[in-house]
Amino acid sequence: MSLTIPAFTLPTPLARIGRHLPQWPHAAALCLALNAAARLRVLPEDELAALEGKHFAVEVTDSGGIARFGVRNGWFVPDFSELTPDLSFRAKLAAYLQLLNRQEDPDTLFFQRALVVEGDTELGLRVKNMLDAVDWGGLSERLPAVLRRGLGF
């Protein structure tokens, strides 16, 4: 049974509040997840090496949240600088959830203007192809047993 994520928009007041909250927890959580995926070899090592020294931003427009991070010494790390990111993504929460659920692909969301990608085009294609190549189904086999049980795999 697969869960279908509907298109939705969080209430506008949430974004107004969200913009005034600290943003580092978003970046820390995203970096933790990306580093775990890299260490579990879910993300291809050769592609990760190409991200070294790059800066990224992922903005959730209807929550007011933004995660800024970079890749340094092979690790995803929160980025607290005011540097213009090499690549940024902007979308509503629903679009990101649909991507994670593989309900929608990035190209469809991009051409529907539900996902805005700005910055280095070649880097954007590299990231898209890297994420498209991830075998999410095989991920459960790589998780520690305690985590698999906790997540219900």
Side-chain angles (χ1 to χ4, degrees):
M1 180 170 114
S2 127
L3 175 68
T4 300
I5 313 261
F8 65 87
T9 302
L10 294 172
T12 303
L14 187 61
R16 271 185 251 154
I17 293 168
R19 285 185 184 86
H20 296 291
L21 296 174
Q23 298 299 309
W24 68 265
H26 306 300
L30 183 56
C31 288
L32 182 66
L34 290 169
N35 284 325
R39 298 310 167 242
L40 289 170
R41 301 196 191 296
V42 172
L43 302 175
E45 283 184 51
D46 56 332
E47 293 294 327
L48 285 174
L51 304 182
E52 185 67 34
K54 302 296 183 187
H55 298 268
F56 303 88
V58 176
E59 182 179 356
V60 182
T61 57
D62 56 346
S63 77
I66 186 164
R68 292 178 175 276
F69 62 98
V71 180
R72 287 190 210 103
N73 300 317
W75 291 93
F76 292 93
V77 293
D79 183 359
F80 303 111
S81 73
E82 293 299 317
L83 291 173
T84 300
D86 296 292
L87 186 63
S88 65
F89 302 93
R90 234 180 16 254
K92 293 178 182 176
L93 178 60
Y96 288 120
L97 294 174
Q98 290 168 342
L99 282 171
L100 287 172
N101 194 37
R102 298 238 171 166
Q103 181 179 323
E104 291 289 351
D105 64 88
D107 294 328
T108 300
L109 292 174
F110 178 80
F111 288 114
Q112 291 174 348
R113 293 189 168 92
L115 173 66
V116 176
V117 182
E118 295 176 332
D120 183 332
T121 306
E122 183 179 336
L123 181 60
L125 286 173
R126 182 178 291 275
V127 169
K128 176 198 169 300
N129 292 335
M130 181 174 62
L131 293 175
D132 282 346
V134 171
D135 175 21
W136 296 108
L139 174 62
S140 66
E141 298 164 5
R142 297 182 191 154
L143 294 173
V146 68
L147 193 52
R148 277 197 309 268
R149 283 191 302 274
L151 292 172
F153 284 112

